[in-house]
């Protein structure tokens, strides 16, 4: 699909770049200050990242999504019989509900900074289906006339609408692209790449916490012997066999041959505490969430849908809206 060259207008421009991977901007996915490697997939192992992505993606996916027609009196009319209504409101493709499709794309947008979906059209340009495409397999480029096209690297069966493997070239009209924050307006930054050091620190803290409790909720220590041990590993294994683990945390240690246990201190780490920053009531908290957190993602989603899915000749007649209230 879309293997022919895309011709457009204007002069040739530089290829759009993913700034999060551009070493010139000093925030690619290199090792973090915590020493923990971070990428979009490992970041989801942190409870904070997972919770934020889940809450926002589920919130946007839960909103009613409709197609409306403008009225001359300034009002609007819900259009149930529009071809896009069923795709957006119910099933964008035979394998997914509207909720699942939107949840997937919003999670892509939140994690990678870009969300992509293949647009399947009929001969007249009308949309027949929408299929998610993995952001880390997509490359945005320009041809020699300055027009944008997409190259999708397919090496698995995540999208059955593609019959071939390898690099698949797609025209602009074949791709729904929802970009996040990005200085060129074309490619969104990866939020995970931008905050890789903070995410890396969280991963380290959670890993330390798991190790802390696995070892009896007690920091590491050392066994001091007054003489010379012939087999130190045997003593260490014997100690761990009896006292390691949360179930053994209150057991009384018995030391022989003048051995002493000395605990090794470990520096404390900071944990964000939002208890004092909560609003005075649930209603105000909900309003703040919608206004400052949810609305920008909703508007970004609505405008991208209208730009990619509505045919040029009907954009002044119809619009797509996610109803927050």
């Amino acid at each position: 699909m879309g293997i022919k060259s895309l011709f457009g207008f204007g002069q040739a421009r530089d290829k759009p770049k993913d700034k999060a991977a551009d070493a010139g901007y000093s925030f690619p996915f290199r090792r973090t200050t915590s020493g923990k490697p971070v990428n979009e997939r490992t970041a989801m192992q942190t409870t904070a990242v997972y919770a934020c992505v889940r809450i926002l993606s589920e919130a946007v996916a839960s909103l009613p999504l409709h197609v409306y027609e403008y009225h001359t009196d300034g009002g609007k009319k819900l259009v149930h019989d529009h071809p896009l209504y069923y795709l957006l409101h119910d099933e964008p493709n035979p394998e997914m509900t509207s909720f699942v499709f939107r949840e997937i794309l919003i999670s892509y947008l939140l994690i990678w900074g870009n969300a992509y979906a293949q647009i399947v059209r009929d001969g007249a340009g009308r949309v027949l289906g929408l299929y998610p495409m993995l952001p880390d397999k997509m490359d945005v480029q320009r041809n020699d006339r300055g027009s944008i096209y997409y190259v999708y690297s397919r090496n698995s069966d995540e999208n059955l609408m593609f019959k071939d493997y390898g690099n698949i070239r797609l025209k602009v009209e074949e791709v729904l692209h929802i970009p996040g924050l990005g200085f060129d307006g074309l490619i969104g930054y990866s939020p995970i790449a931008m905050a890789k050091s903070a995410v890396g620190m969280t991963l380290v803290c959670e890993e330390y916490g798991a190790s802390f409790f696995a070892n009896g909720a007690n920091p590491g220590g050392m066994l001091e012997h007054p003489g010379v041990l012939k087999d130190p590993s045997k003593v260490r294994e014997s100690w761990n066999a009896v006292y390691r683990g949360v179930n053994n945390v209150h057991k009384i240690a018995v030391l022989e041959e003048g051995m002493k246990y000395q605990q090794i201190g470990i520096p404390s780490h900071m944990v964000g505490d939002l208890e004092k920053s909560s609003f005075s009531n649930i209603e105000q908290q909900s309003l703040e969430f919608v206004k400052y957190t949810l609305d920008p993602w909703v508007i970004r989603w609505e405008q991208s849908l209208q730009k990619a899915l509505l045919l040029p000749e009907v954009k002044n007649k119809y619009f797509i809206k996610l109803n927050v209230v």
Side-chain angles (χ1 to χ4, degrees):
M1 298 181 62
I3 59 174
K4 295 182 178 180
S5 298
L6 176 64
F7 293 96
F9 299 94
Q11 298 178 349
R13 306 173 190 172
D14 292 336
K15 167 189 170 183
K17 295 180 180 179
D18 182 351
K19 299 300 190 303
D22 185 351
Y25 283 78
S26 301
F27 41 80
F29 279 127
R30 291 194 290 265
R31 185 167 289 274
T32 63
T33 53
S34 66
K36 194 75 175 176
V38 173
N39 58 45
E40 290 93 349
R41 298 184 188 278
T42 60
M44 284 293 285
Q45 297 174 12
T46 67
T47 54
V49 173
Y50 180 85
C52 292
V53 171
R54 181 188 64 81
I55 290 170
L56 282 171
S57 58
E58 288 180 352
V60 175
S62 300
L63 298 175
L65 179 58
H66 299 302
V67 178
Y68 292 94
E69 182 179 4
Y70 290 108
H71 269 200
T72 54
D73 60 0
K76 62 182 180 181
K77 176 186 177 183
L78 185 63
V79 186
H80 291 94
D81 57 353
H82 192 282
L84 282 176
Y85 185 89
Y86 178 78
L87 290 175
L88 297 177
H89 185 269
D90 298 298
E91 293 182 14
N93 63 68
E95 298 180 344
M96 297 177 184
T97 64
S98 176
F99 181 96
V100 171
F101 174 79
R102 285 185 278 158
E103 184 181 45
I104 291 173
L105 259 65
I106 289 295
S107 67
Y108 286 171
L109 183 58
L110 293 169
I111 299 170
W112 275 277
N114 294 275
Y116 302 94
Q118 179 194 12
I119 304 174
V120 179
R121 300 180 186 269
D122 62 13
R126 291 169 298 195
V127 181
L128 300 178
L130 298 167
Y131 294 82
M133 294 188 289
L134 293 168
D136 56 344
K137 294 186 177 183
M138 185 66 80
D139 188 20
V140 185
Q141 302 184 11
R142 290 190 189 273
N143 63 14
D144 55 0
R145 298 195 178 187
S147 298
I148 294 173
Y149 66 94
Y150 298 85
V151 178
Y152 188 68
S153 300
R154 182 174 184 260
N155 52 18
S156 58
D157 294 328
E158 73 275 1
N159 188 333
L160 297 180
M161 293 305 295
F162 294 131
K163 303 303 180 184
D164 301 323
Y165 294 91
N167 293 333
I168 302 172
R169 185 164 172 166
L170 300 166
K171 302 176 183 179
V172 169
E173 56 266 30
E174 293 178 303
V175 177
L176 166 63
H177 178 196
I178 309 174
L181 174 65
F183 291 162
D184 60 5
L186 295 174
I187 302 294
Y189 295 153
S190 164
I192 302 302
M194 299 289 287
K196 65 182 185 300
S197 292
V199 175
M201 180 62 73
T202 304
L203 283 168
V204 169
C205 290
E206 293 189 357
E207 188 175 285
Y208 169 75
S211 175
F212 182 89
F213 286 103
N215 286 281
N218 197 6
M222 61 182 178
L223 293 174
E224 182 180 342
H225 193 278
V228 178
L229 287 174
K230 294 181 179 179
D231 192 357
S233 60
K234 187 176 181 179
V235 176
R236 185 188 306 110
E237 291 170 4
S238 176
W239 174 275
N240 287 336
V242 178
Y243 302 112
R244 184 175 182 176
V246 291
N247 294 328
N248 299 323
V249 68
H250 295 299
K251 283 189 175 181
I252 298 175
V254 178
L255 303 177
E256 302 179 48
E257 301 180 6
M259 283 195 297
K260 293 185 297 183
Y261 174 79
Q262 302 218 358
Q263 181 170 305
I264 300 174
I266 293 178
S268 61
H269 58 274
M270 298 181 66
V271 178
D273 184 2
L274 302 179
E275 182 179 358
K276 295 182 180 179
S277 63
S278 61
F279 295 99
S280 58
N281 56 70
I282 296 299
E283 181 182 7
Q284 182 63 31
Q285 185 175 0
S286 299
L287 291 174
E288 295 285 345
F289 173 72
V290 171
K291 182 176 181 180
Y292 295 112
T293 303
L294 202 59
D295 263 356
W297 297 107
V298 167
I299 295 171
R300 192 185 301 273
W301 177 270
E302 290 174 340
Q303 294 185 353
S304 296
L305 289 176
Q306 292 176 190
K307 179 177 180 295
L309 303 184
L310 290 176
L311 295 174
E313 58 269 22
V314 300
K315 286 185 177 180
N316 61 347
K317 184 178 180 181
Y318 299 103
F319 66 96
I320 300 169
K321 185 168 182 60
L322 285 158
N323 295 311
V324 179
V325 292

